[in-house]
Amino acid sequence: MTKFKIELDKKKCIGCGACTAVCPDYFDMDEDGKAKVKKQLISDIGCSKQAEDTCPVNAISVTEQ
Ligand code: F3S
């Protein structure tokens, strides 16, 4: 049962790594030096909102489905 969707705008991401620091469960760094979402559809919002709030360029959005 999915309740939330994590979206990441790679064009905005500057690769600061804050999302992976606050939320390693759902974010990882990709080979291109930018973040990647490990799991896009989640049932537990967990730390994803903190990552959304922490990203300095607002590249992350977490929406309820
Ligand atoms: Fe990129 Fe924002 Fe994460 S700049 S590395 S999506 S905190």
Coordinates of all heavy atoms in Angstrom, one line a residue:
M1 N 0.9 -1.2 0.0 CA 0.0 0.0 0.0 C 0.9 1.3 0.0 O 1.6 1.5 1.0 CB -0.9 0.0 1.2 CG -2.0 1.0 1.2 SD -3.1 1.0 2.6 CE -2.0 1.4 3.9
T2 N 0.9 1.9 -1.1 CA 1.7 3.1 -1.2 C 1.0 4.3 -0.8 O -0.2 4.5 -1.2 CB 2.2 3.2 -2.7 OG1 3.0 2.1 -3.0 CG2 3.1 4.5 -2.9
K3 N 1.6 5.2 -0.1 CA 1.0 6.4 0.3 C 1.7 7.7 -0.1 O 1.1 8.7 -0.2 CB 0.8 6.5 1.9 CG -0.2 5.5 2.4 CD -0.5 5.9 3.9 CE -0.9 4.7 4.7 NZ -0.2 4.6 6.0
F4 N 3.0 7.5 -0.3 CA 3.8 8.7 -0.6 C 4.7 8.5 -1.8 O 5.1 7.3 -2.1 CB 4.7 9.1 0.5 CG 3.9 9.4 1.8 CD1 3.8 8.4 2.8 CD2 3.3 10.6 2.0 CE1 3.0 8.7 3.9 CE2 2.5 10.9 3.1 CZ 2.4 9.9 4.1
K5 N 5.0 9.5 -2.6 CA 5.9 9.4 -3.7 C 7.0 10.4 -3.6 O 6.7 11.6 -3.3 CB 5.1 9.7 -5.0 CG 5.8 9.5 -6.3 CD 4.9 9.8 -7.4 CE 5.6 9.7 -8.8 NZ 4.7 10.1 -9.9
I6 N 8.2 10.0 -3.7 CA 9.4 10.9 -3.6 C 9.8 11.2 -5.1 O 10.1 10.3 -5.9 CB 10.6 10.2 -2.9 CG1 10.1 9.7 -1.5 CG2 11.7 11.1 -2.8 CD1 11.2 8.9 -0.8
E7 N 9.9 12.5 -5.3 CA 10.5 12.9 -6.6 C 11.7 13.7 -6.5 O 11.8 14.5 -5.6 CB 9.4 13.6 -7.4 CG 8.3 12.7 -7.9 CD 7.1 13.4 -8.5 OE1 6.4 14.1 -7.8 OE2 7.0 13.3 -9.8
L8 N 12.6 13.5 -7.4 CA 13.9 14.2 -7.3 C 14.2 14.9 -8.7 O 14.2 14.2 -9.7 CB 15.0 13.2 -7.0 CG 16.4 13.8 -6.9 CD1 16.7 14.5 -5.6 CD2 17.4 12.7 -7.1
D9 N 14.4 16.2 -8.7 CA 14.7 16.9 -9.9 C 16.2 16.9 -10.1 O 16.9 17.8 -9.4 CB 14.1 18.3 -9.9 CG 14.2 19.0 -11.2 OD1 15.1 18.6 -12.0 OD2 13.5 20.0 -11.4
K10 N 16.7 16.1 -10.9 CA 18.2 16.0 -11.1 C 18.8 17.3 -11.7 O 19.9 17.6 -11.4 CB 18.5 14.8 -12.0 CG 18.4 13.5 -11.3 CD 19.7 12.7 -11.6 CE 19.7 11.3 -10.9 NZ 21.0 10.8 -10.8
K11 N 18.0 18.0 -12.4 CA 18.5 19.2 -13.0 C 18.7 20.3 -11.9 O 19.6 21.1 -12.0 CB 17.5 19.8 -14.0 CG 17.4 18.9 -15.3 CD 16.7 19.6 -16.4 CE 15.2 19.9 -16.2 NZ 14.4 18.7 -16.2
K12 N 18.0 20.2 -10.8 CA 18.2 21.2 -9.7 C 19.2 20.7 -8.8 O 19.9 21.5 -8.2 CB 16.9 21.3 -8.9 CG 15.8 22.2 -9.6 CD 14.7 22.4 -8.5 CE 13.5 23.1 -9.1 NZ 12.4 23.1 -8.2
C13 N 19.4 19.4 -8.6 CA 20.3 18.9 -7.6 C 21.7 19.3 -7.9 O 22.2 19.3 -9.0 CB 20.3 17.3 -7.6 SG 21.5 16.6 -6.5
I14 N 22.4 19.8 -6.8 CA 23.8 20.3 -6.9 C 24.8 19.3 -6.3 O 25.9 19.6 -6.1 CB 24.0 21.7 -6.3 CG1 23.5 21.8 -4.9 CG2 23.3 22.8 -7.2 CD1 23.9 23.0 -4.1
G15 N 24.2 18.2 -5.8 CA 25.0 17.1 -5.2 C 25.6 17.4 -3.9 O 26.6 16.9 -3.5
C16 N 24.9 18.2 -3.1 CA 25.4 18.6 -1.8 C 25.4 17.4 -0.8 O 26.1 17.4 0.2 CB 24.6 19.7 -1.2 SG 23.1 19.3 -0.4
G17 N 24.6 16.4 -1.0 CA 24.6 15.2 -0.2 C 23.8 15.3 1.1 O 23.7 14.3 1.9
A18 N 23.1 16.4 1.3 CA 22.3 16.6 2.6 C 21.2 15.5 2.7 O 21.0 15.0 3.8 CB 21.7 18.0 2.7
C19 N 20.6 15.2 1.6 CA 19.5 14.2 1.6 C 20.0 12.9 2.1 O 19.3 12.2 2.8 CB 18.8 14.2 0.3 SG 19.8 13.8 -1.1
T20 N 21.1 12.5 1.6 CA 21.6 11.1 2.0 C 22.1 11.1 3.4 O 22.1 10.1 4.1 CB 22.8 10.7 1.1 OG1 23.9 11.7 1.2 CG2 22.4 10.6 -0.4
A21 N 22.5 12.3 3.9 CA 22.9 12.4 5.3 C 21.7 12.3 6.3 O 21.8 11.6 7.3 CB 23.7 13.7 5.6
V22 N 20.6 13.0 6.0 CA 19.5 12.9 6.9 C 18.6 11.7 6.6 O 17.8 11.3 7.4 CB 18.6 14.2 6.8 CG1 19.5 15.4 7.3 CG2 18.0 14.5 5.5
C23 N 18.7 11.2 5.4 CA 17.7 10.1 5.0 C 18.4 9.0 4.2 O 18.0 8.8 3.0 CB 16.5 10.7 4.3 SG 15.1 9.6 4.2
P24 N 19.3 8.3 4.7 CA 20.0 7.3 3.9 C 19.1 6.1 3.5 O 19.4 5.4 2.6 CB 21.1 6.8 4.8 CG 20.8 7.2 6.2 CD 19.9 8.4 6.1
D25 N 18.0 6.0 4.2 CA 17.0 4.9 3.9 C 16.5 5.1 2.4 O 16.2 4.1 1.7 CB 15.8 4.9 4.8 CG 16.2 4.4 6.2 OD1 17.4 3.9 6.4 OD2 15.4 4.5 7.1
Y26 N 16.2 6.3 2.1 CA 15.6 6.6 0.8 C 16.4 7.3 -0.3 O 16.0 7.3 -1.4 CB 14.3 7.4 1.0 CG 13.2 6.7 1.9 CD1 12.4 7.4 2.7 CD2 13.1 5.3 1.8 CE1 11.4 6.8 3.5 CE2 12.1 4.7 2.5 CZ 11.3 5.4 3.4 OH 10.3 4.8 4.1
F27 N 17.6 7.8 0.2 CA 18.4 8.5 -0.8 C 19.8 8.0 -0.8 O 20.4 7.5 0.2 CB 18.5 10.0 -0.5 CG 17.2 10.7 -0.6 CD1 16.3 10.8 0.5 CD2 16.8 11.3 -1.8 CE1 15.0 11.4 0.4 CE2 15.5 11.9 -1.9 CZ 14.6 11.9 -0.8
D28 N 20.4 8.0 -2.0 CA 21.8 7.6 -2.2 C 22.4 8.5 -3.2 O 21.7 9.2 -3.9 CB 21.7 6.1 -2.8 CG 23.0 5.3 -2.5 OD1 23.9 5.9 -1.9 OD2 23.0 4.1 -2.8
M29 N 23.8 8.5 -3.3 CA 24.4 9.3 -4.3 C 24.6 8.5 -5.6 O 25.0 7.3 -5.5 CB 25.7 9.9 -3.9 CG 25.6 10.9 -2.7 SD 24.4 12.2 -2.9 CE 25.3 13.3 -4.1
D30 N 24.3 9.1 -6.7 CA 24.4 8.3 -8.0 C 25.8 8.5 -8.6 O 26.6 9.4 -8.1 CB 23.4 8.9 -8.9 CG 22.9 7.9 -9.9 OD1 23.5 6.8 -10.1 OD2 21.9 8.1 -10.6
E31 N 26.1 7.8 -9.6 CA 27.5 7.9 -10.2 C 27.7 9.2 -10.8 O 28.9 9.6 -11.0 CB 27.6 6.8 -11.3 CG 27.7 5.4 -10.7 CD 27.4 4.3 -11.7 OE1 27.3 4.6 -12.9 OE2 27.3 3.1 -11.3
D32 N 26.7 10.0 -11.2 CA 26.8 11.3 -11.8 C 27.1 12.4 -10.7 O 27.1 13.6 -11.0 CB 25.6 11.6 -12.7 CG 24.3 11.6 -11.9 OD1 24.3 11.5 -10.6 OD2 23.3 11.8 -12.5
G33 N 27.2 12.0 -9.4 CA 27.5 13.0 -8.4 C 26.2 13.6 -7.8 O 26.3 14.5 -7.0
K34 N 25.1 13.2 -8.4 CA 23.8 13.7 -7.9 C 23.1 12.7 -7.1 O 23.5 11.5 -7.1 CB 23.0 14.2 -9.1 CG 23.7 15.3 -9.8 CD 22.8 15.9 -10.9 CE 23.6 17.1 -11.5 NZ 22.7 18.0 -12.3
A35 N 22.1 13.1 -6.4 CA 21.3 12.2 -5.6 C 20.4 11.3 -6.4 O 20.1 11.6 -7.5 CB 20.5 12.9 -4.6
K36 N 20.1 10.1 -5.9 CA 19.1 9.3 -6.5 C 18.2 8.8 -5.4 O 18.6 8.6 -4.3 CB 19.7 8.1 -7.3 CG 20.4 7.1 -6.5 CD 20.8 5.9 -7.4 CE 21.7 4.9 -6.7 NZ 22.4 4.0 -7.5
V37 N 17.0 8.5 -5.8 CA 16.0 8.0 -4.9 C 16.0 6.5 -4.9 O 16.0 5.9 -6.0 CB 14.5 8.5 -5.3 CG1 13.5 7.9 -4.4 CG2 14.5 10.0 -5.3
K38 N 16.2 5.9 -3.7 CA 16.3 4.4 -3.7 C 14.9 3.8 -3.9 O 14.8 2.7 -4.5 CB 16.8 4.0 -2.3 CG 18.3 4.2 -2.1 CD 18.6 4.0 -0.6 CE 19.9 3.3 -0.4 NZ 20.1 3.1 1.1
K39 N 13.9 4.4 -3.3 CA 12.6 3.9 -3.4 C 11.6 5.1 -3.6 O 11.5 6.0 -2.8 CB 12.3 3.3 -2.0 CG 11.9 1.9 -1.9 CD 11.6 1.5 -0.5 CE 10.6 0.4 -0.4 NZ 10.2 0.1 0.9
Q40 N 11.0 5.1 -4.8 CA 10.2 6.2 -5.1 C 8.8 6.2 -4.5 O 8.2 7.2 -4.1 CB 10.0 6.3 -6.6 CG 9.7 7.8 -7.0 CD 9.5 7.9 -8.5 OE1 9.3 7.0 -9.3 NE2 9.7 9.2 -9.0
L41 N 8.2 5.0 -4.4 CA 6.9 4.8 -3.8 C 7.0 4.2 -2.4 O 7.6 3.1 -2.3 CB 6.0 4.0 -4.7 CG 5.8 4.5 -6.1 CD1 5.1 3.5 -7.0 CD2 5.0 5.8 -6.1
I42 N 6.6 4.9 -1.4 CA 6.8 4.4 0.0 C 5.5 4.5 0.7 O 4.6 5.3 0.5 CB 7.9 5.3 0.7 CG1 7.5 6.8 0.6 CG2 9.2 5.0 0.1 CD1 8.4 7.7 1.5
S43 N 5.4 3.6 1.7 CA 4.2 3.6 2.5 C 4.5 4.3 3.9 O 3.5 4.8 4.5 CB 3.7 2.2 2.8 OG 4.7 1.4 3.3
D44 N 5.7 4.4 4.2 CA 6.1 5.1 5.5 C 6.9 6.3 5.1 O 8.0 6.2 4.5 CB 7.0 4.1 6.3 CG 7.5 4.8 7.6 OD1 7.1 5.9 7.9 OD2 8.3 4.2 8.2
I45 N 6.4 7.5 5.4 CA 7.1 8.7 5.0 C 8.5 8.8 5.6 O 9.3 9.5 5.1 CB 6.2 9.9 5.4 CG1 6.6 11.2 4.6 CG2 6.1 10.2 6.9 CD1 5.6 12.3 4.5
G46 N 8.6 8.2 6.8 CA 10.0 8.2 7.4 C 10.7 9.5 7.4 O 10.1 10.5 7.8
C47 N 12.0 9.4 7.0 CA 12.8 10.6 7.0 C 12.7 11.4 5.7 O 13.4 12.4 5.5 CB 14.2 10.2 7.2 SG 14.8 8.9 6.1
S48 N 11.8 11.0 4.7 CA 11.8 11.6 3.4 C 11.4 13.1 3.5 O 11.9 13.9 2.7 CB 10.9 10.9 2.5 OG 9.5 11.0 2.9
K49 N 10.6 13.5 4.4 CA 10.2 14.9 4.6 C 11.3 15.7 5.1 O 11.5 16.9 4.7 CB 9.0 15.0 5.6 CG 7.6 15.0 4.9 CD 7.3 16.3 4.2 CE 6.1 16.2 3.3 NZ 5.9 17.3 2.4
Q50 N 12.1 15.1 5.9 CA 13.3 15.9 6.4 C 14.3 16.1 5.3 O 14.8 17.2 5.2 CB 14.1 15.1 7.5 CG 13.5 15.2 8.8 CD 13.9 14.0 9.7 OE1 13.1 13.0 9.8 NE2 15.1 14.1 10.3
A51 N 14.4 15.2 4.4 CA 15.3 15.4 3.2 C 14.7 16.5 2.3 O 15.4 17.3 1.8 CB 15.4 14.1 2.4
E52 N 13.4 16.5 2.1 CA 12.7 17.5 1.3 C 13.0 18.9 2.0 O 13.4 19.8 1.3 CB 11.2 17.2 1.3 CG 10.5 18.3 0.4 CD 9.0 18.1 0.5 OE1 8.5 17.8 1.6 OE2 8.3 18.2 -0.5
D53 N 12.9 19.0 3.3 CA 13.1 20.3 4.0 C 14.5 20.7 3.9 O 14.8 21.9 4.0 CB 12.6 20.2 5.4 CG 11.1 20.0 5.5 OD1 10.4 20.3 4.5 OD2 10.6 19.6 6.6
T54 N 15.4 19.7 3.9 CA 16.9 20.0 4.1 C 17.5 20.4 2.7 O 18.5 21.2 2.7 CB 17.6 18.7 4.6 OG1 17.0 18.4 5.9 CG2 19.1 19.0 4.9
C55 N 17.0 19.9 1.7 CA 17.7 20.2 0.4 C 17.7 21.7 0.1 O 16.7 22.4 0.1 CB 16.9 19.5 -0.8 SG 17.7 19.8 -2.4
P56 N 18.9 22.2 -0.1 CA 19.1 23.7 -0.3 C 18.5 24.2 -1.6 O 18.3 25.4 -1.7 CB 20.6 23.9 -0.2 CG 21.2 22.6 -0.6 CD 20.2 21.5 -0.2
V57 N 18.3 23.4 -2.5 CA 17.8 23.9 -3.8 C 16.4 23.3 -4.2 O 15.9 23.4 -5.3 CB 18.8 23.5 -5.0 CG1 20.1 24.3 -4.8 CG2 19.0 22.0 -5.1
N58 N 15.8 22.8 -3.1 CA 14.4 22.3 -3.3 C 14.2 21.3 -4.5 O 13.3 21.4 -5.3 CB 13.4 23.4 -3.5 CG 13.3 24.3 -2.2 OD1 13.2 23.7 -1.1 ND2 13.3 25.6 -2.4
A59 N 15.2 20.4 -4.6 CA 15.1 19.4 -5.7 C 14.2 18.2 -5.3 O 13.9 17.5 -6.2 CB 16.5 18.9 -6.0
I60 N 13.8 18.1 -4.1 CA 13.1 17.0 -3.6 C 11.6 17.3 -3.3 O 11.4 18.4 -2.7 CB 13.7 16.4 -2.3 CG1 15.1 15.9 -2.6 CG2 12.9 15.2 -1.8 CD1 16.0 15.6 -1.4
S61 N 10.7 16.5 -3.7 CA 9.3 16.7 -3.3 C 8.7 15.4 -2.9 O 8.9 14.4 -3.6 CB 8.5 17.4 -4.4 OG 8.2 16.6 -5.4
V62 N 8.0 15.4 -1.8 CA 7.4 14.3 -1.3 C 5.9 14.6 -1.3 O 5.4 15.5 -0.7 CB 7.8 13.9 0.1 CG1 7.1 12.7 0.6 CG2 9.3 13.7 0.2
T63 N 5.1 13.8 -2.0 CA 3.7 14.1 -2.1 C 2.9 12.8 -1.7 O 3.3 11.7 -1.9 CB 3.3 14.4 -3.6 OG1 3.9 13.4 -4.5 CG2 3.8 15.8 -4.0
E64 N 1.8 13.1 -1.1 CA 0.9 12.1 -0.7 C 0.1 11.6 -1.9 O -0.4 12.4 -2.7 CB -0.1 12.6 0.4 CG -0.7 11.5 1.3 CD -1.3 12.0 2.5 OE1 -1.1 13.2 2.9 OE2 -2.1 11.2 3.1
Q65 N -0.1 10.3 -2.0 CA -0.8 9.8 -3.2 C -2.3 9.6 -2.9 O -2.6 9.2 -1.8 CB -0.2 8.5 -3.6 CG 1.3 8.7 -4.0 CD 1.4 9.6 -5.2 OE1 1.0 9.2 -6.3 NE2 1.9 10.8 -5.0
Ligands
F3S1 FE1 20.9 17.1 -4.3 FE2 19.4 18.3 -2.6 FE3 20.2 15.9 -2.1 S1 21.1 19.2 -3.8 S2 22.2 15.7 -3.1 S3 18.9 16.5 -3.8 S4 20.0 17.5 -0.6

